[in-house]
Amino acid sequence: KQEVTQIPAALSVPEGENLVLNCSFTDSAIYNLQWFRQDPGKGLTSLLLIQSSQREQTSGRLNASLDKSSGRSTLYIAASQPGDSATYLCAVMNVQGAQKLVFGQGTRLTINP
Amino acid sequence: DVKVTQSSRYLVKRTGEKVFLECVQDMDHENMFWYRQDPGLGLRLIYFSYDVKMKEKGDIPEGYSVSREKKERFSLILESASTNQTSMYLCASSSGHPSYEQYFGPGTRLTVT
C-alpha cells in the first residue's frame, strides 16, 4: 500500500530564505507526483505536476524534483515571502490506482517578515 | 483558467438530514472526485467518477452516495447525516490522459449537529 510522508510537519523561516520541503513515498510505481498549496480553510491549489519520466518542473520561484527510484521529491522555494505561508501537500498517483491520489499529511510553512 | 466550484462554503445540518453537496467544473473533464479532509487523517477519497453515470468507490464510501447526471456536475449525497461526517469536503476534477492533473474546488465545511 502506497504511503506518502512529509517531514517536517511544520517549518518556520525568516523572509528571503531559500527553503526545501520534502516528500517521500514507499512505492516507486507512480504515474505522477503533484504538489499543492492550501491556505487555511480553503481548497487546494495545484502548484506543480511531475510525470514519472521527468526529473523536475519549475514555475516561477518554485522548483520540484523527483527521484522515483529512491521514492523522494523536493519542493524548492526561492526567496521566500510572507505570502508563501500555507500548508504544502504532495500527492502521488500510482500506476495501479485508477487515478486516485495518495496524499501526504502536509508541511505547514510560516514565513516571518 | 481551470474552475471548480462548490455549492456552499459552509453548511450546518442536523443529524439524520439528507445532505447534498454539489460540484461543477467548466473544463469538460471526464473525471471527478470527492474527498474529505480531517485533521490528523489528511485527505481521503470518498468516490470518483470516470464519466456521466459512472462511479467508483474510493477508500471511505460508507454513508455516502454520488450522482453524475451531467458531465460538468458531480454531487455527493449524505443519505442520513451523522456527527462523524462533520468535515471539510473537497471536490476535484482531472484533465485525464496524459497528465491526469487534478484541480480542486474551494471546499465545503460541513458541520453536523
Side-chain angles (χ1 to χ4, degrees):
Chain A
K1 179 186 170 188
Q2 177 75 271
E3 292 183 2
V4 180
T5 303
Q6 292 183 250
I7 295 174
L11 182 64
S12 180
V13 301
E15 180 178 2
E17 279 202 7
N18 303 324
L19 59 99
V20 174
L21 306 181
N22 296 297
C23 173
S24 62
F25 47 95
T26 54
D27 185 350
S28 63
I30 65 168
Y31 189 86
N32 63 35
L33 183 146
Q34 203 166 347
W35 281 94
F36 295 91
R37 169 191 172 131
Q38 186 176 33
D39 293 294
K42 302 287 180 65
L44 278 64
T45 300
S46 179
L47 297 174
L48 289 164
L49 179 142
I50 311 178
Q51 301 292 354
S52 62
S53 58
Q54 297 174 321
R55 296 285 293 183
E56 64 179 295
Q57 282 284 346
T58 298
S59 176
R61 294 183 294 109
L62 305 180
N63 176 276
S65 69
L66 174 64
D67 184 344
K68 199 173 70 164
S69 60
S70 68
R72 296 180 63 179
S73 177
T74 62
L75 179 67
Y76 174 83
I77 303 177
S80 59
Q81 303 169 358
D84 294 330
S85 297
T87 296
Y88 290 81
L89 296 150
C90 74
V92 299
M93 190 172 94
N94 294 330
V95 171
Q96 302 286 341
Q99 300 186 45
K100 185 179 94 168
L101 287 179
V102 180
F103 283 85
Q105 293 282 342
T107 295
R108 189 172 69 252
L109 177 64
T110 303
I111 307 298
N112 301 304
Chain B
D1 251 2
V2 168
K3 192 139 190 179
V4 180
T5 57
Q6 295 183 230
S7 50
S8 305
R9 290 297 316 278
Y10 301 95
L11 210 52
V12 180
K13 295 292 182 181
R14 294 192 180 276
T15 301
E17 279 194 78
K18 191 168 186 176
V19 181
F20 293 86
L21 303 182
E22 303 238 312
C23 174
V24 178
Q25 51 96 1
D26 67 355
M27 288 88 61
D28 202 34
H29 285 168
E30 292 185 347
N31 311 306
M32 296 187 74
F33 308 81
W34 274 107
Y35 296 86
R36 65 177 281 177
Q37 184 178 30
D38 302 286
L41 296 175
L43 278 97
R44 294 176 291 168
L45 182 65
I46 305 171
Y47 267 98
F48 58 102
S49 169
Y50 287 130
D51 202 347
V52 174
K53 298 192 185 296
M54 304 289 287
K55 61 185 179 185
E56 295 284 342
K57 293 179 181 179
D59 297 322
I60 50 164
E62 297 79 18
Y64 303 95
S65 63
V66 290
S67 172
R68 189 147 180 224
E69 297 296 321
K70 292 186 177 181
K71 191 174 186 180
E72 67 270 19
R73 189 179 299 269
F74 191 34
S75 301
L76 180 69
I77 304 156
L78 286 66
E79 297 289 344
S80 177
S82 64
T83 54
N84 63 13
Q85 293 178 310
T86 291
S87 186
M88 171 70 112
Y89 289 87
L90 293 160
C91 173
S93 71
S94 164
S95 55
H97 185 76
S99 78
Y100 295 105
E101 185 169 5
Q102 287 195 20
Y103 300 90
F104 281 76
T108 296
R109 171 74 63 185
L110 172 68
T111 302
V112 183
T113 61

PDB file of all heavy atoms in Angstrom, chain B residues 26-44:
ATOM      1  N   ASP B  26     -15.803  23.517 -15.203  1.00  0.00           N
ATOM      2  CA  ASP B  26     -16.048  24.111 -16.520  1.00  0.00           C
ATOM      3  C   ASP B  26     -14.978  23.742 -17.538  1.00  0.00           C
ATOM      4  O   ASP B  26     -14.785  24.453 -18.534  1.00  0.00           O
ATOM      5  CB  ASP B  26     -16.196  25.628 -16.398  1.00  0.00           C
ATOM      6  CG  ASP B  26     -14.895  26.316 -15.984  1.00  0.00           C
ATOM      7  OD1 ASP B  26     -13.895  25.609 -15.696  1.00  0.00           O
ATOM      8  OD2 ASP B  26     -14.873  27.559 -15.932  1.00  0.00           O
ATOM      9  N   MET B  27     -14.234  22.657 -17.269  1.00  0.00           N
ATOM     10  CA  MET B  27     -13.120  22.278 -18.142  1.00  0.00           C
ATOM     11  C   MET B  27     -13.427  21.116 -19.061  1.00  0.00           C
ATOM     12  O   MET B  27     -12.545  20.597 -19.731  1.00  0.00           O
ATOM     13  CB  MET B  27     -11.902  21.892 -17.301  1.00  0.00           C
ATOM     14  CG  MET B  27     -11.246  23.049 -16.629  1.00  0.00           C
ATOM     15  SD  MET B  27     -11.925  23.431 -15.029  1.00  0.00           S
ATOM     16  CE  MET B  27     -11.627  21.955 -14.118  1.00  0.00           C
ATOM     17  N   ASP B  28     -14.689  20.639 -19.051  1.00  0.00           N
ATOM     18  CA  ASP B  28     -15.052  19.478 -19.856  1.00  0.00           C
ATOM     19  C   ASP B  28     -14.257  18.227 -19.462  1.00  0.00           C
ATOM     20  O   ASP B  28     -13.966  17.358 -20.296  1.00  0.00           O
ATOM     21  CB  ASP B  28     -14.860  19.757 -21.360  1.00  0.00           C
ATOM     22  CG  ASP B  28     -15.697  18.823 -22.242  1.00  0.00           C
ATOM     23  OD1 ASP B  28     -16.809  18.461 -21.831  1.00  0.00           O
ATOM     24  OD2 ASP B  28     -15.214  18.435 -23.321  1.00  0.00           O
ATOM     25  N   HIS B  29     -13.899  18.150 -18.176  1.00  0.00           N
ATOM     26  CA  HIS B  29     -13.155  16.985 -17.682  1.00  0.00           C
ATOM     27  C   HIS B  29     -14.081  15.797 -17.536  1.00  0.00           C
ATOM     28  O   HIS B  29     -15.214  15.932 -17.080  1.00  0.00           O
ATOM     29  CB  HIS B  29     -12.530  17.298 -16.322  1.00  0.00           C
ATOM     30  CG  HIS B  29     -11.341  18.193 -16.420  1.00  0.00           C
ATOM     31  ND1 HIS B  29     -10.779  18.781 -15.307  1.00  0.00           N
ATOM     32  CD2 HIS B  29     -10.600  18.593 -17.467  1.00  0.00           C
ATOM     33  CE1 HIS B  29      -9.746  19.500 -15.682  1.00  0.00           C
ATOM     34  NE2 HIS B  29      -9.616  19.412 -16.992  1.00  0.00           N
ATOM     35  N   GLU B  30     -13.562  14.628 -17.850  1.00  0.00           N
ATOM     36  CA  GLU B  30     -14.362  13.416 -17.670  1.00  0.00           C
ATOM     37  C   GLU B  30     -14.327  12.906 -16.234  1.00  0.00           C
ATOM     38  O   GLU B  30     -15.264  12.281 -15.774  1.00  0.00           O
ATOM     39  CB  GLU B  30     -13.867  12.315 -18.612  1.00  0.00           C
ATOM     40  CG  GLU B  30     -14.149  12.637 -20.078  1.00  0.00           C
ATOM     41  CD  GLU B  30     -13.774  11.492 -20.999  1.00  0.00           C
ATOM     42  OE1 GLU B  30     -13.074  10.566 -20.543  1.00  0.00           O
ATOM     43  OE2 GLU B  30     -14.164  11.523 -22.173  1.00  0.00           O
ATOM     44  N   ASN B  31     -13.225  13.165 -15.543  1.00  0.00           N
ATOM     45  CA  ASN B  31     -13.003  12.560 -14.235  1.00  0.00           C
ATOM     46  C   ASN B  31     -13.264  13.558 -13.111  1.00  0.00           C
ATOM     47  O   ASN B  31     -12.754  14.680 -13.139  1.00  0.00           O
ATOM     48  CB  ASN B  31     -11.561  12.070 -14.128  1.00  0.00           C
ATOM     49  CG  ASN B  31     -11.166  11.241 -15.332  1.00  0.00           C
ATOM     50  OD1 ASN B  31     -11.830  10.277 -15.665  1.00  0.00           O
ATOM     51  ND2 ASN B  31     -10.091  11.625 -15.989  1.00  0.00           N
ATOM     52  N   MET B  32     -14.056  13.140 -12.147  1.00  0.00           N
ATOM     53  CA  MET B  32     -14.332  13.992 -10.990  1.00  0.00           C
ATOM     54  C   MET B  32     -14.247  13.173  -9.707  1.00  0.00           C
ATOM     55  O   MET B  32     -14.469  11.957  -9.725  1.00  0.00           O
ATOM     56  CB  MET B  32     -15.713  14.650 -11.123  1.00  0.00           C
ATOM     57  CG  MET B  32     -15.796  15.596 -12.328  1.00  0.00           C
ATOM     58  SD  MET B  32     -17.324  16.532 -12.409  1.00  0.00           S
ATOM     59  CE  MET B  32     -17.088  17.756 -11.102  1.00  0.00           C
ATOM     60  N   PHE B  33     -13.925  13.853  -8.600  1.00  0.00           N
ATOM     61  CA  PHE B  33     -13.599  13.184  -7.344  1.00  0.00           C
ATOM     62  C   PHE B  33     -14.234  13.929  -6.168  1.00  0.00           C
ATOM     63  O   PHE B  33     -14.337  15.153  -6.201  1.00  0.00           O
ATOM     64  CB  PHE B  33     -12.080  13.175  -7.131  1.00  0.00           C
ATOM     65  CG  PHE B  33     -11.291  12.632  -8.292  1.00  0.00           C
ATOM     66  CD1 PHE B  33     -10.998  13.424  -9.388  1.00  0.00           C
ATOM     67  CD2 PHE B  33     -10.834  11.320  -8.280  1.00  0.00           C
ATOM     68  CE1 PHE B  33     -10.271  12.931 -10.462  1.00  0.00           C
ATOM     69  CE2 PHE B  33     -10.104  10.813  -9.350  1.00  0.00           C
ATOM     70  CZ  PHE B  33      -9.819  11.621 -10.439  1.00  0.00           C
ATOM     71  N   TRP B  34     -14.558  13.184  -5.127  1.00  0.00           N
ATOM     72  CA  TRP B  34     -14.924  13.763  -3.842  1.00  0.00           C
ATOM     73  C   TRP B  34     -13.980  13.223  -2.767  1.00  0.00           C
ATOM     74  O   TRP B  34     -13.813  12.009  -2.628  1.00  0.00           O
ATOM     75  CB  TRP B  34     -16.362  13.420  -3.452  1.00  0.00           C
ATOM     76  CG  TRP B  34     -17.372  14.358  -4.020  1.00  0.00           C
ATOM     77  CD1 TRP B  34     -18.255  14.123  -5.035  1.00  0.00           C
ATOM     78  CD2 TRP B  34     -17.636  15.692  -3.593  1.00  0.00           C
ATOM     79  NE1 TRP B  34     -19.024  15.218  -5.270  1.00  0.00           N
ATOM     80  CE2 TRP B  34     -18.673  16.204  -4.394  1.00  0.00           C
ATOM     81  CE3 TRP B  34     -17.095  16.522  -2.603  1.00  0.00           C
ATOM     82  CZ2 TRP B  34     -19.187  17.492  -4.249  1.00  0.00           C
ATOM     83  CZ3 TRP B  34     -17.600  17.809  -2.451  1.00  0.00           C
ATOM     84  CH2 TRP B  34     -18.632  18.282  -3.262  1.00  0.00           C
ATOM     85  N   TYR B  35     -13.374  14.160  -1.999  1.00  0.00           N
ATOM     86  CA  TYR B  35     -12.507  13.831  -0.875  1.00  0.00           C
ATOM     87  C   TYR B  35     -13.089  14.470   0.390  1.00  0.00           C
ATOM     88  O   TYR B  35     -13.800  15.450   0.333  1.00  0.00           O
ATOM     89  CB  TYR B  35     -11.107  14.432  -1.059  1.00  0.00           C
ATOM     90  CG  TYR B  35     -10.302  13.931  -2.228  1.00  0.00           C
ATOM     91  CD1 TYR B  35     -10.436  14.487  -3.498  1.00  0.00           C
ATOM     92  CD2 TYR B  35      -9.361  12.919  -2.056  1.00  0.00           C
ATOM     93  CE1 TYR B  35      -9.670  14.049  -4.567  1.00  0.00           C
ATOM     94  CE2 TYR B  35      -8.579  12.469  -3.119  1.00  0.00           C
ATOM     95  CZ  TYR B  35      -8.742  13.047  -4.367  1.00  0.00           C
ATOM     96  OH  TYR B  35      -7.971  12.608  -5.423  1.00  0.00           O
ATOM     97  N   ARG B  36     -12.702  13.907   1.534  1.00  0.00           N
ATOM     98  CA  ARG B  36     -12.900  14.627   2.774  1.00  0.00           C
ATOM     99  C   ARG B  36     -11.545  14.794   3.454  1.00  0.00           C
ATOM    100  O   ARG B  36     -10.640  13.964   3.263  1.00  0.00           O
ATOM    101  CB  ARG B  36     -13.905  13.950   3.707  1.00  0.00           C
ATOM    102  CG  ARG B  36     -13.538  12.612   4.244  1.00  0.00           C
ATOM    103  CD  ARG B  36     -14.593  12.087   5.210  1.00  0.00           C
ATOM    104  NE  ARG B  36     -14.507  12.675   6.544  1.00  0.00           N
ATOM    105  CZ  ARG B  36     -15.338  12.418   7.535  1.00  0.00           C
ATOM    106  NH1 ARG B  36     -16.348  11.550   7.360  1.00  0.00           N
ATOM    107  NH2 ARG B  36     -15.200  12.982   8.719  1.00  0.00           N
ATOM    108  N   GLN B  37     -11.419  15.901   4.190  1.00  0.00           N
ATOM    109  CA  GLN B  37     -10.155  16.221   4.842  1.00  0.00           C
ATOM    110  C   GLN B  37     -10.393  16.434   6.320  1.00  0.00           C
ATOM    111  O   GLN B  37     -11.211  17.268   6.717  1.00  0.00           O
ATOM    112  CB  GLN B  37      -9.536  17.475   4.223  1.00  0.00           C
ATOM    113  CG  GLN B  37      -8.166  17.834   4.776  1.00  0.00           C
ATOM    114  CD  GLN B  37      -7.567  19.056   4.110  1.00  0.00           C
ATOM    115  OE1 GLN B  37      -8.280  19.952   3.668  1.00  0.00           O
ATOM    116  NE2 GLN B  37      -6.255  19.096   4.009  1.00  0.00           N
ATOM    117  N   ASP B  38      -9.672  15.674   7.133  1.00  0.00           N
ATOM    118  CA  ASP B  38      -9.802  15.755   8.579  1.00  0.00           C
ATOM    119  C   ASP B  38      -8.433  15.888   9.228  1.00  0.00           C
ATOM    120  O   ASP B  38      -7.467  15.257   8.768  1.00  0.00           O
ATOM    121  CB  ASP B  38     -10.495  14.495   9.122  1.00  0.00           C
ATOM    122  CG  ASP B  38     -11.862  14.279   8.518  1.00  0.00           C
ATOM    123  OD1 ASP B  38     -12.769  15.023   8.914  1.00  0.00           O
ATOM    124  OD2 ASP B  38     -12.010  13.404   7.647  1.00  0.00           O
ATOM    125  N   PRO B  39      -8.324  16.666  10.295  1.00  0.00           N
ATOM    126  CA  PRO B  39      -7.037  16.824  10.986  1.00  0.00           C
ATOM    127  C   PRO B  39      -6.477  15.477  11.418  1.00  0.00           C
ATOM    128  O   PRO B  39      -7.189  14.647  11.993  1.00  0.00           O
ATOM    129  CB  PRO B  39      -7.399  17.681  12.204  1.00  0.00           C
ATOM    130  CG  PRO B  39      -8.643  18.401  11.803  1.00  0.00           C
ATOM    131  CD  PRO B  39      -9.389  17.468  10.906  1.00  0.00           C
ATOM    132  N   GLY B  40      -5.226  15.267  11.110  1.00  0.00           N
ATOM    133  CA  GLY B  40      -4.561  14.026  11.506  1.00  0.00           C
ATOM    134  C   GLY B  40      -4.800  12.858  10.557  1.00  0.00           C
ATOM    135  O   GLY B  40      -4.063  11.876  10.592  1.00  0.00           O
ATOM    136  N   LEU B  41      -5.820  12.959   9.722  1.00  0.00           N
ATOM    137  CA  LEU B  41      -6.123  11.869   8.777  1.00  0.00           C
ATOM    138  C   LEU B  41      -5.833  12.273   7.338  1.00  0.00           C
ATOM    139  O   LEU B  41      -5.788  11.432   6.445  1.00  0.00           O
ATOM    140  CB  LEU B  41      -7.593  11.453   8.901  1.00  0.00           C
ATOM    141  CG  LEU B  41      -7.993  10.859  10.249  1.00  0.00           C
ATOM    142  CD1 LEU B  41      -9.493  10.602  10.287  1.00  0.00           C
ATOM    143  CD2 LEU B  41      -7.225   9.564  10.522  1.00  0.00           C
ATOM    144  N   GLY B  42      -5.677  13.564   7.090  1.00  0.00           N
ATOM    145  CA  GLY B  42      -5.370  14.028   5.745  1.00  0.00           C
ATOM    146  C   GLY B  42      -6.566  13.937   4.813  1.00  0.00           C
ATOM    147  O   GLY B  42      -7.723  13.903   5.247  1.00  0.00           O
ATOM    148  N   LEU B  43      -6.277  13.891   3.523  1.00  0.00           N
ATOM    149  CA  LEU B  43      -7.327  13.786   2.510  1.00  0.00           C
ATOM    150  C   LEU B  43      -7.585  12.325   2.186  1.00  0.00           C
ATOM    151  O   LEU B  43      -6.652  11.552   1.947  1.00  0.00           O
ATOM    152  CB  LEU B  43      -6.918  14.504   1.223  1.00  0.00           C
ATOM    153  CG  LEU B  43      -7.138  16.000   1.212  1.00  0.00           C
ATOM    154  CD1 LEU B  43      -5.864  16.726   1.567  1.00  0.00           C
ATOM    155  CD2 LEU B  43      -7.630  16.437  -0.165  1.00  0.00           C
ATOM    156  N   ARG B  44      -8.853  11.958   2.146  1.00  0.00           N
ATOM    157  CA  ARG B  44      -9.235  10.596   1.825  1.00  0.00           C
ATOM    158  C   ARG B  44     -10.318  10.622   0.746  1.00  0.00           C
ATOM    159  O   ARG B  44     -11.244  11.430   0.806  1.00  0.00           O
ATOM    160  CB  ARG B  44      -9.757   9.877   3.072  1.00  0.00           C
ATOM    161  CG  ARG B  44      -8.694   9.669   4.149  1.00  0.00           C
ATOM    162  CD  ARG B  44      -9.297   9.037   5.392  1.00  0.00           C
ATOM    163  NE  ARG B  44     -10.197   9.948   6.081  1.00  0.00           N
ATOM    164  CZ  ARG B  44     -11.018   9.593   7.054  1.00  0.00           C
ATOM    165  NH1 ARG B  44     -11.076   8.315   7.442  1.00  0.00           N
ATOM    166  NH2 ARG B  44     -11.789  10.488   7.641  1.00  0.00           N
TER     167      ARG B  44
END
